Amino acid sequence: MKPSVRLFTGFALVAALAAPAGSALAWGAWGHRMVGVVAAESLPSDLPAFLRTPEAVAAIGEYAREPDRWKGSGKVHDTDRDAAHFLDIDDEGRMYGGPKFTLETLPPTRADYEKALAAVGHDSWNAGYLPYSIIDGYQQLVKDFTYWRILQAVSASEKDATRKAYYVADLKRREELLVRDLGVWAHYVGDASQPLHLSVHYNGWGDYPNPNGYTQSRATHGNFEGPLVKAVAVDADVKALVPAYKDCACTIEARTVTYLSTTVSFVEPLYKLEKEGGLVATDPRAKAFVDERLAAGATQLRDMVVDAWKASATGKIGYRPEITVDDVISGKADPWNDLYGKD
């Protein structure tokens, strides 16, 4: 979600538009839940069955709302996390109008990104760091799936009763953690399908060249992703727009850039639709726009989960030395110390 007020520095203070209290919940509860549920319902049958149960699907939908429900936890908590939900991209495709890098040329880590922003007097708390939230969550999921694969194997093959009991219990914990990690991460993947979470024009066009006379209303963001979505979006309609999984044969970084670049292209069409009076529940164009964007979020979430599952087949756990999934399944490595702990 966008923080209700973001602290800007220097010239950017002039451009800041503070969202009205309670308005800036990305997709709102209705939309975030829908992205999580539709994505989970669209998982292919070769993924672990526990992720596809009705209970897991419902839980993923609820956890997908969680980062918005954290808001108000405290100054340290909120200041650090609020910027995880967005990325301010200007009309030249640059971050926050400062560093001369685009989505395609983002620094490889958030630390590098922070240094680049600092060099021009900004930081990621102002500019947002949504791409890094998505990549971070994906990498966590790969690790979770790697542990799951290993625990599933040793739970079935272990002969020692004490170890077996631990493995069975830890497999259950891992499954619970996977649902939670996937669900919370789903929030950020969902944020990235909402055009106003990827633009300096996040709540009205703002103090920028506006030759087309787009709205300056500070209710734009909240009205679009909250009441409008709840009024027009239906799970079945959104799910019907989700295609089968397609392997992009690319890295998570590349997939994320493509996804966000597509979402950015919907910023001006959203404002154009609003100007034409079409961003209302009674206009079928509004429903088509909302359904397409929610389906895009669900599709990317589903595809990224599948990618994470596939990547986990060659995943590693432990350290000095690391062991692979194949090492454990083949009997080459004993994972006890890396699973139960050796220190």
Side-chain angles (χ1 to χ4, degrees), residues 77-335:
H77 179 284
D78 292 357
T79 299
D80 188 53
R81 299 182 189 227
D82 281 350
H85 300 250
F86 67 91
L87 186 69
D88 279 348
I89 301 174
D90 69 11
D91 293 329
E92 296 179 357
R94 297 186 301 170
M95 309 303 104
Y96 205 63
K100 294 183 178 180
F101 52 73
T102 63
L103 279 169
E104 292 77 9
T105 58
L106 277 172
T109 69
R110 187 179 163 200
D112 295 326
Y113 174 59
E114 194 69 58
K115 290 177 184 177
L117 288 168
V120 291
H122 299 300
D123 58 49
S124 65
W125 286 269
N126 293 334
Y129 59 90
L130 178 56
Y132 300 99
S133 303
I134 294 173
I135 295 166
D136 173 70
Y138 168 86
Q139 292 173 345
Q140 179 64 61
L141 201 64
V142 173
K143 184 64 73 174
D144 282 344
F145 276 138
T146 300
Y147 273 102
W148 186 89
R149 286 179 184 271
I150 289 173
L151 283 164
Q152 184 195 45
V154 294
S155 292
S157 63
E158 181 60 57
K159 303 302 181 185
D160 179 85
T162 299
R163 288 189 175 193
K164 186 179 185 71
Y166 176 81
Y167 290 151
V168 170
D170 206 39
L171 178 61
K172 183 176 184 298
R173 283 189 290 268
R174 181 58 54 179
E175 291 179 351
E176 292 168 351
L177 185 60
L178 256 160
V179 171
R180 190 267 184 193
D181 287 349
L182 195 165
V184 170
W185 173 57
H187 183 95
Y188 302 107
V189 179
D191 279 343
S193 67
Q194 212 282 50
L196 299 181
H197 275 253
L198 289 168
S199 176
V200 294
H201 311 298
Y202 65 86
N203 202 19
W205 197 254
D207 188 19
Y208 302 94
N210 190 6
N212 295 312
Y214 295 133
T215 183
Q216 296 286 7
S217 171
R218 296 183 181 184
T220 303
H221 192 121
N223 288 342
F224 168 64
E225 69 187 13
L228 178 61
V229 170
K230 186 174 182 180
V232 303
V234 178
D235 281 38
D237 295 341
V238 172
K239 189 174 181 180
L241 298 176
V242 175
Y245 166 77
K246 182 177 181 180
D247 187 350
C248 71
C250 64
T251 64
I252 183 58
E253 290 83 2
R255 186 185 276 282
T256 300
V257 166
T258 298
Y259 175 34
L260 270 60
S261 296
T262 300
T263 300
V264 170
S265 71
F266 285 87
V267 173
E268 190 158 2
L270 186 155
Y271 276 98
K272 184 174 185 291
L273 184 60
E274 192 281 336
K275 182 180 179 181
E276 294 171 353
L279 209 61
V280 293
T282 54
D283 194 311
R285 294 176 297 172
K287 175 174 173 56
F289 191 96
V290 166
D291 285 355
E292 192 281 336
R293 290 289 79 219
L294 290 172
T299 298
Q300 285 297 326
L301 177 59
R302 187 275 319 279
D303 288 356
M304 288 179 176
V305 172
V306 175
D307 287 351
W309 168 247
K310 291 165 65 177
S312 71
T314 56
K316 299 176 181 179
I317 67 167
Y319 52 94
R320 297 181 183 176
E322 294 178 310
I323 59 175
T324 68
V325 173
D326 285 343
D327 288 339
V328 175
I329 292 175
S330 68
K332 180 181 176 181
D334 179 355

Side-chain angles (χ1 to χ4, degrees), residues 37 41 49-60:
V37 166
E41 288 178 340
F50 79 88
L51 278 180
R52 297 179 285 108
T53 66
E55 295 78 14
V57 169
I60 289 167

